[in-house]
Amino acid sequence: MVLTAEALASGVDQEWAERVRDLASRNDAIILAHNYQVPAIQDVAHYVGDSLELSKISAGLDESVIVFCGVHFMAETAKILAPAKTVLIPDQLAGCSLAASMTAEEARAWKAEHPGAALVVYVNTSAEVKAEADYCVTSANAVKVIESIPADREILFGPDMFLGSAVERLSGRKMHIWMGECHVHAGIEPTNIRRTLDANPNAELLVHPECGCSSQCMYLASTGDLPADRTFIVGTGGMVRRMKESEADTFVVATETGMLHRLRKENPEAELVPANEAAVCGYMKMITPPKLLRTLEVLDRGEDLSPYEVDVAEPIRSKALVPIERMIALA
Ligand code: 13P
Ligand code: SF4
């Protein structure tokens, strides 16, 4: 565990990192971090990944404590998959605008309007919403899950409208799509893509399907207005994999800017250009280095963990587990 120059420049030092790792190992804890976390947290974590990868890792860990550096629904998913473990999040208020755009009550009302339909929800939802769903998906496997549903079954897809229309286009399957969005990705618009590509004409384009521009990018790639062989609509884990395979030396990255740290670390030679520098998720950034350290110190001192502990009560947990397990089986 060595802090990158970017992490050191943010004021975090090696001593902090060593203390965090030491407290984690003394307390049988493992630190998981999403790809959008600040550099210091990505560098100190035992695992960094996309939402699907982190769910899969949570399900198979030996350690008794998971310290989840990500947003609340991700820590909840870890708890649903690993109920015997203590799951801690350094700030319980780290929410998600997309997850907040569909409540369990709204999910129930939608299902009542379409009896017999399959409710497919994005992993960016609360445990209560997942408990209403038939299938859960991430950006990494949404198309695969949709293709596994019998062709004659009506599909309700939510809450992300941009991911929904991208999946509709990729799978060729008509769906009812919920009109929710992530405020960060909705702000990455076609004009951002045009401008960055005009400035970097040989770049490969990596677009998260939650982006406000994703379905338009797909359409423009199909008409030849964007280079089809250099346009990839992929989740955060897909971006890491695509860069490993690619021969390109410049990439326009259309997602939350925390992703650039992970991509730079794995591809130090490549030039990375954010499609929109303002695409910063304030919720992800609520997990800070001092809060991570404080969480581990509270754990180490055997103090009250309730300010950090994430729990999912029964029967919500068992109900939510069904669509999550389907998602993992189709990963
Ligand atoms: P990934 O599933 O691609 O990691 O995305 C999660 C997320 O919150 C995107 O905003
Ligand atoms: Fe939620 Fe958007 Fe932040 Fe991802 S980037 S956690 S979808 S608000």
Side-chain angles (χ1 to χ4, degrees), residues 34 36 50-51 74 122 124 139 185 208 210 235-236:
H34 186 264
Y36 297 159
D50 67 17
S51 46
M74 296 181 176
Y122 193 30
N124 294 44
S139 55
H185 286 89
H208 198 285
E210 282 174 29
T236 62

Side-chain angles (χ1 to χ4, degrees), residues 147-180:
E147 284 170 348
S148 78
I149 299 174
D152 57 355
R153 192 163 180 204
E154 218 180 342
I155 299 178
L156 308 177
F157 187 99
D160 189 56
M161 61 175 155
F162 298 115
L163 176 68
S165 45
V167 168
E168 211 173 37
R169 197 177 273 274
L170 289 167
S171 66
R173 188 80 184 264
K174 196 88 201 96
M175 308 187 293
H176 299 279
I177 298 173
W178 191 259
M179 289 290 114

Side-chain angles (χ1 to χ4, degrees), residues 34 36 71 73-74 95-99 122 124 182-185 210 256 281-284:
H34 186 264
Y36 297 159
V71 292
F73 78 81
M74 296 181 176
C96 167
S97 57
L98 180 52
Y122 193 30
N124 294 44
C182 151
H183 69 294
V184 179
H185 286 89
E210 282 174 29
E256 208 274 350
C281 176
Y283 296 116
M284 283 280 178

